Every structure is written in C-alpha cells, then in structure tokens.
Amino acid sequence: MTPTITYHEFQGQNDALRNPRSASERDRTKRACLLTLLTLLVPGGAQVTVGSRALGRIALAVTVACWFTILLGLAMYFTMRSVLLSALTQPFIMWTASLVLAALAIGWLLLWLDTFRLIRLGQLAPGLKPILVVAMVALMTLTSGGLGYASHIVNEGRQALAGIFSGGAAIPADEGRYNFLLLGADAGEGRQGLRPDSIHVVSVNQSTAETIIFSIPRNFQNAQFSEDSPMREVYPNGYNCGNECIINFLYTEVHNSYSHLYPEAEVPGVEAMMDAASGTLDLNLHGYVMVDMDGFSELIDAMGGITVESGGWVPYRGRHPETNQWGNRWFEPGTLELDGDDALSFARSREHSNDYARIQRQQCVQQAMIGQFSPQTLLTRFTEMMTAGENLVDTNLPQSQLGSLLSLAADAQDHSPQRLTLGAPDFGSSGELFSTYPDFELIHARVEELIAREGDGSEEPDSDTQDEPDTSDDQAAPEEVTEPPGPTPEHSDEAVAGDEPGEEPTPEPTELTQPDGSALTELYLIEAQQRGEVGLLEQAATGNGDCSPAE
C-alpha cells in the first residue's frame, strides 16, 4: 500500500522554521537570524515558534511582566516619585531586586542556550557558523551578563546605603520644615583631630521645597546651645571661652572631653555641633550630613581622577620632583591630570594668593567631577565609588526616608535658595566682628524673616560671602609645621564643597620669566621660595584662580 501524506504533514515538512532540514540554505540562514532576534527582543519567542512551547510561554509571561513593571515605574516616577524612590531605596526591596535580576540573567542564559540548540548549527553554511556563534556569545554577554552585573550593582548599592544611612524610623518635619546640618570636615596635617570647617544649615520647606541656607563662619564665637543640650552643663552661657571656643573646635573638644554627655550618640562631636547650630539659629535640627575630605579624595581616585585647565601657578606641599623630599611644590599652568590627593592640594592652596582664587579652584574641582562623571565611569568603577562614598559621607538620616528626601531635593532645584551668613557682609562689615560678638536676637529675627519671605516671590539673591581670608599654609608637612594648642581661625581649612566667592577677582597674571628670559619652571619657583622671594612667588600665583574643567 502506498503511504499517504496529509496536507498538514506536507506543510510541516516544507515549513523552514519547524523543519529546516528540508529548507534551502538561504532559508536556514534566515531561520537562524530570526530565532536569534526573537530571543534578543522577545525572550521566549523562539521557543514558542519552533521549540518547547511550555518554556516559551513561561518566558513570554516573564517578559510581559518585566515590561509592565518598567512602564509602571515610569508612570510612578512622573506621578508618585516620592513613593517610588522610597520603595527603591528600601533594603528589602533592593535585596529582592538583586535576586530577581540574577534570576532573570540565569533565565535569559538558558533561553540563549536553548535557542542555540534550535538553530541546528550543523545545518548552516560553513561560513556562517563562526559569525553566528560570535554574535550569539556577544548578545548573551550583553543581555544575561548585563542583568547579572545589574544584580551586582543593586546589591553593592544596598550594602553601601546601609553603611552610610541609619536604620531608624522616618523623621517628622518640624512646623513644616526639615533642617539639616551640613559639615565639611578635615583632619589635615598638623591638626589636633578632625575639624568641621564648612558649617551650613539647610532648611527646606516640606510643602514647597523652598530652601534657605544658613552659613556659620568657622571662627564663630559664643554659639548658643539648644535648651535640651547637655553642653549647657559645661557652657551654660554658650560656647564663650574666647578664642579657644570658635565653633569649628567644638567637635574636637566634645570628642576628647565630653563624649560622656552624649552616651547614645555614635558621633558625640556632631551632636554637639547640631545643638550649637540649633541654639544659634533657634531651629530644631533633624539630622546631619558630614563630608570627610579624605573620603572626597578617595572618590576622585575611584572616578579615575579629574582633568582641569589651570591658568596660573598653584603652590602646594608634596614630594620634590628630584630629591623626593617633602617640601614646596607648584602645579604649573595648563592641563592638569589630578588624582585625589593632588585635586585636594590644588583646591586648598591659598599661599601667595587669596581666598577668592582658592574658592574658584574649589568650584572648578567640583565642576570637573560633575562634568567628567559618566555612565561609563559608574559602570566600570561602581564598587570603588560605593566604597569611597561610605568613607566620604557620614549621616544619621534614616535610610527609610532616603526616597522622600531625594524627591524633596529634586523639587528644591526649581527654586533659588535664600542665603544668610552669620557674619559679614550680611551682618555688617568684617571690621565689626559680628562673628566674634554675635547678636542672637538679631539672628533669630533674620531667620524668621527669611522663613516668612518664602512663597511671596521675593527670593533673596545668593549672597556670595566668605569668611575672613586665611593665609596660612595648610599643606605643611607634619614634621615641619605643627599647630599650637588651641584653635585659631588662621589654622582652619574650608571643605571643598559649598564655598562661594565673596571678594573681588584677582587681576590677570603677567608674563613672568627667569632672569635669563626663559620660561618659569617649577624648580625655579621652588628655589625662589627657598630664597624667600615672596614678591616673585605672589606674581607667579596671580591669577591661579583662573581654572576650568577640561573638555
């Protein structure tokens, strides 16, 4: 009896997708490319088409669920951003997300391997085989490898956030405001412990996200403590023991002598600084963020360094280029590639110059970090940057509130902040010594005035102010320069973050040469410094605030 073939069986035998053996070489090539694209764009599509339909249906369901989650996240970002960010920054959510991403990576890998089986490599043209294998391995690495790396990043981020933020409950606003203390702290060479030299209180309106920034000069004296502060036992009339009691020394004093007054505090010195800022401004503070400059240096190193264009000679302390002895160094004008330590030296330098030039360089370093930060940097150096971030920032803000605070910070960018400095020029001239003999009733009145001004459309322009110039060489080597007991304003460094110029800009530099007419060199300036030729050094440093991030 002659066997019969039904119509559907005949169609199946001639279907290139399901029966490639009977197809032409060209059709088999098309089939292989189609299955590869389906696995890339619609995971599970290849299995539904020619393979295990049960596996394919499961994969398609997961794919649809993933797209639904992404679209829901986008919708929530534009309508419920605070809720979304709060959820995404919770430890359990981040842990779950890392597991889900890892599972998706494994699942997609299995689909790729099954697709490789379905393609039937042995039936393809010899010249196509290596091309297809290389392409599939590359796509497998891009998709499954990318999801695996994303899982790693989320888990690293979860651990980093847990190391930076506290695990307490969310902090309620006080009279509709959040007030935070921001400190830029440094334990520089020749110093007695860590000093918070940049002291700001940021007050944010919970409803409108309008912001007021209060700057407290580092040499502010007679700071008042809040009514419930244990420091009132030691200083009932405020921090008022003369030049020994400028506010930036309070942290060290409490750490060394009065930590027992804050038995439950992880960082007693910061708690005392919060009490002082609270009593001085008559505001209840909710938390603090302290940026440590050593961690700042580590972050720059984690980014791979920064590049700036310097318009003048910048003195600093370092190793002699020839003898390797510790001493005076100079950054030359032009393009500078700076690692973390060099970036801090470049930003801090003020010898033979002034605070205005120094602040310009500080802002230049900040802009270079922002401008030269890229997704490639984040992806390739994520672990290093997270580690540096843990060393850079210390805070008592709860992680449970991170999302809402991030949303509030984003909204605050739509408003120009009001600013008030507790000293010149907002309270008289520098000669009136308001920072030394402050009028607290006047301070409280000005604080209330700025808060009342919110929302009336009369936001105060930025007040570009600075503390009194400091001409000390804060890059001195420990073995050569030591700090005398008791702090003075002249021995303080300001942190890189948050400074703004308040003096007239320096004039353009003049062209200087050596006596023989040749161009200046670093070695010549080092020798001139040893000879005490201060006039020449000041001319060389003129204009060193002319700085811009490299393109």
Side-chain angles (χ1 to χ4, degrees), residues 210-323:
E210 292 179 89
T211 305
I212 307 173
I213 301 176
F214 302 100
S215 299
I216 304 177
R218 63 186 183 273
N219 58 352
F220 190 88
Q221 297 185 28
N222 304 311
Q224 301 296 295
F225 295 103
S226 55
E227 293 184 359
D228 59 349
S229 173
M231 287 302 295
R232 282 178 172 254
E233 299 178 15
V234 184
Y235 297 102
N237 298 317
Y239 197 45
N240 63 348
C241 60
N243 288 337
E244 295 291 322
C245 284
I246 60 175
I247 194 170
N248 86 317
F249 193 61
L250 176 61
Y251 178 101
T252 305
E253 182 176 353
V254 171
H255 177 78
N256 292 337
S257 305
Y258 302 113
S259 59
H260 63 278
L261 296 178
Y262 297 90
E264 298 181 0
E266 293 186 8
V267 190
V270 175
E271 295 292 337
M273 294 290 294
M274 289 179 61
D275 288 348
S278 176
T280 297
L281 296 171
D282 194 24
L283 291 174
N284 291 326
L285 267 62
H286 298 89
Y288 71 88
V289 177
M290 183 165 63
V291 178
D292 183 85
M293 301 319 296
D294 286 338
F296 195 86
S297 173
E298 289 183 29
L299 181 59
I300 293 177
D301 284 334
M303 290 179 58
I306 59 173
T307 304
V308 299
E309 296 287 344
S310 177
W313 290 91
V314 180
Y316 71 105
R317 301 284 293 180
R319 297 288 179 181
H320 193 282
E322 293 184 347
T323 67

Side-chain angles (χ1 to χ4, degrees), residues 354-544:
N354 56 41
D355 270 4
Y356 184 87
R358 182 190 194 215
I359 295 161
Q360 286 182 305
R361 278 183 267 107
Q362 292 176 349
Q363 294 175 342
C364 179
V365 168
Q366 296 171 39
Q367 293 166 5
M369 290 184 65
I370 296 173
Q372 294 166 29
F373 178 80
S374 65
Q376 293 87 343
T377 302
L378 179 63
L379 290 175
T380 58
R381 298 177 177 270
F382 183 83
T383 300
E384 294 88 343
M385 292 179 66
M386 288 295 98
T387 301
E390 291 185 56
N391 297 328
L392 172 66
V393 178
D394 178 48
T395 180
N396 65 345
L397 297 179
Q399 186 175 354
S400 61
Q401 202 168 7
L402 178 58
S404 60
L405 294 179
L406 286 175
S407 180
L408 191 62
D411 291 337
Q413 294 179 351
D414 297 332
H415 305 278
S416 297
Q418 300 185 80
R419 298 178 181 268
L420 183 70
T421 299
L422 305 191
D426 291 338
F427 291 90
S429 64
S430 58
E432 296 180 46
L433 301 178
F434 184 88
S435 297
T436 305
Y437 307 103
D439 183 338
F440 291 99
E441 290 187 1
L442 181 57
I443 291 174
H444 298 166
R446 291 289 296 277
V447 171
E448 293 177 1
E449 176 187 346
L450 292 181
I451 293 176
R453 184 181 297 171
E454 285 182 340
D456 63 2
S458 60
E459 290 182 344
E460 190 176 67
D462 290 357
S463 170
D464 294 340
T465 61
Q466 266 304 303
D467 301 342
E468 297 176 6
D470 184 346
T471 58
S472 63
D473 180 6
D474 51 12
Q475 295 296 312
E479 64 269 21
E480 294 185 295
V481 177
T482 57
E483 186 177 60
T488 61
E490 289 75 17
H491 288 82
S492 295
D493 286 331
E494 295 167 311
V496 168
D499 291 319
E500 296 188 17
E503 303 174 23
E504 291 298 322
T506 53
E508 291 295 325
T510 57
E511 189 69 28
L512 292 177
T513 62
Q514 299 185 41
D516 61 2
S518 59
L520 289 181
T521 65
E522 181 184 9
L523 291 176
Y524 180 79
L525 290 176
I526 291 174
E527 294 171 357
Q529 202 159 3
Q530 293 172 346
R531 295 192 297 265
E533 299 179 13
V534 177
L536 171 65
L537 302 177
E538 290 178 347
Q539 291 184 62
T542 299
N544 66 16

Side-chain angles (χ1 to χ4, degrees), residues 180-195:
F180 306 109
L181 178 66
L182 302 184
L183 301 174
D186 192 11
E189 295 166 354
R191 295 188 140 214
Q192 296 180 340
L194 182 144
R195 300 270 187 85

Side-chain angles (χ1 to χ4, degrees), residues 18 34-64 66-67 104 106-118 143:
R18 297 187 178 279
L34 176 62
L35 296 181
T36 301
L37 287 176
L38 282 173
T39 303
L40 173 65
L41 302 176
V42 189
Q47 284 68 31
V48 169
T49 303
V50 299
S52 171
R53 293 191 174 185
L55 175 62
R57 290 191 184 101
I58 294 174
L60 286 177
V62 173
T63 301
V64 171
C66 289
W67 279 111
L104 291 175
I106 295 172
W108 212 340
L109 176 62
L110 294 176
L111 291 176
W112 278 116
L113 295 176
D114 189 58
T115 301
F116 189 82
R117 176 186 64 83
L118 296 174
T143 55

Side-chain angles (χ1 to χ4, degrees), residues 154-220:
V154 171
N155 189 55
E156 289 281 330
R158 176 184 65 85
Q159 294 176 347
L161 292 179
I164 294 173
F165 293 90
S166 69
I171 303 170
D174 181 63
E175 297 183 357
R177 308 192 68 82
Y178 288 111
N179 305 308
F180 306 109
L181 178 66
L182 302 184
L183 301 174
D186 192 11
E189 295 166 354
R191 295 188 140 214
Q192 296 180 340
L194 182 144
R195 300 270 187 85
D197 292 317
S198 179
I199 308 168
H200 305 277
V201 171
V202 177
S203 181
V204 186
N205 188 305
Q206 182 186 23
S207 300
T208 66
E210 292 179 89
T211 305
I212 307 173
I213 301 176
F214 302 100
S215 299
I216 304 177
R218 63 186 183 273
N219 58 352
F220 190 88

